[in-house]
Amino acid sequence: MTPRCRLVHTADLDPAGLREIRALLDDAFDGDFSDEDWDHGLGGTHALIEDGAGLAAHGALVMRRVRHRGRWLRTGYVEGVAVRADVRRTGLGGRVMAGLERMIDRAYDLGALSASDEGALLYAARDWQCWPGPVHALSPEGVVRLPDEEGGVYVRPALAGPLEASGELVFDWRDGDIV
């Protein structure tokens, strides 16, 4: 029997469930998952797939604001997509993304995420588009360009329709990694 993907808000996860998610993320990112990275994925909806061995896959969707062409877009931002090592390459990452994409398509102007090199393959295969234009953030000092993020930001047009590739994306500010 194929395990189902459950969508659960952070508020409905108990401390043990949160610890299990954090452990999966720490393992999947080889210890390169900071407390700020963890914080970025809280307060939204988690897509969870469990099997007989416990939590097998996770992804989170949180609301952010992204300015494009002078308009602030309600953005479903994907965080913390991870699959347990023993079940990688079995389609669980795609199933997690399908659950999150359904929410993005129906409730947000735009979907966005920042992809690792490995993750980029999954997102491109699911028709996420690598953003070709400049990426900025609205910092406490004003708008700042984020050249290191360019080429790693992926978008999924949703209720707002297609974006103009010649425009810039300006992400709202947050501590740690901005995008």
Side-chain angles (χ1 to χ4, degrees):
M1 179 179 182
T2 304
R4 69 180 184 89
C5 183
R6 253 182 343 124
L7 299 175
V8 182
H9 193 278
T10 300
D12 295 322
L13 291 165
D14 63 18
L18 289 168
R19 284 191 300 274
E20 190 174 23
I21 293 167
R22 178 65 193 254
L24 173 70
L25 293 168
D26 284 337
D27 280 348
F29 289 92
D30 295 323
D32 190 25
F33 194 80
S34 71
D35 289 341
E36 284 139 343
D37 294 330
W38 171 245
D39 188 58
H40 294 166
L42 299 177
T45 301
H46 300 263
L48 306 169
I49 298 177
E50 298 165 315
D51 63 12
L55 183 61
H58 169 270
L61 186 67
V62 297
M63 209 280 289
R64 295 189 67 188
R65 295 283 180 181
V66 174
R67 189 179 74 195
H68 176 68
R69 309 291 295 171
R71 179 174 168 217
W72 286 98
L73 302 173
R74 191 178 60 256
T75 302
Y77 198 85
V78 176
E79 293 282 0
V81 175
V83 176
R84 200 176 62 226
D86 65 316
V87 289
R88 287 189 188 137
R89 307 281 185 260
T90 63
L92 296 182
R95 292 186 49 222
V96 162
M97 288 303 296
L100 300 178
E101 289 163 355
R102 184 182 66 78
M103 293 177 63
I104 289 167
D105 293 346
R106 295 178 180 182
Y108 293 94
D109 296 323
L110 173 69
L113 57 84
S114 178
S116 65
D117 291 340
E118 296 101 30
L121 299 172
L122 169 66
Y123 308 126
R126 299 190 61 79
D127 293 328
W128 284 72
Q129 303 158 7
C130 184
W131 183 250
V135 176
H136 295 80
L138 181 58
S139 79
E141 290 79 39
V143 176
V144 294
R145 187 155 185 192
L146 304 172
D148 292 345
E149 298 296 335
E150 294 171 2
V153 172
Y154 284 72
V155 297
R156 179 182 181 91
L159 297 175
L163 303 180
E164 238 180 88
S166 63
E168 66 183 10
L169 296 180
V170 180
F171 285 84
D172 56 358
W173 186 257
R174 61 185 187 174
D175 291 332
D177 293 332
I178 299 162
V179 179

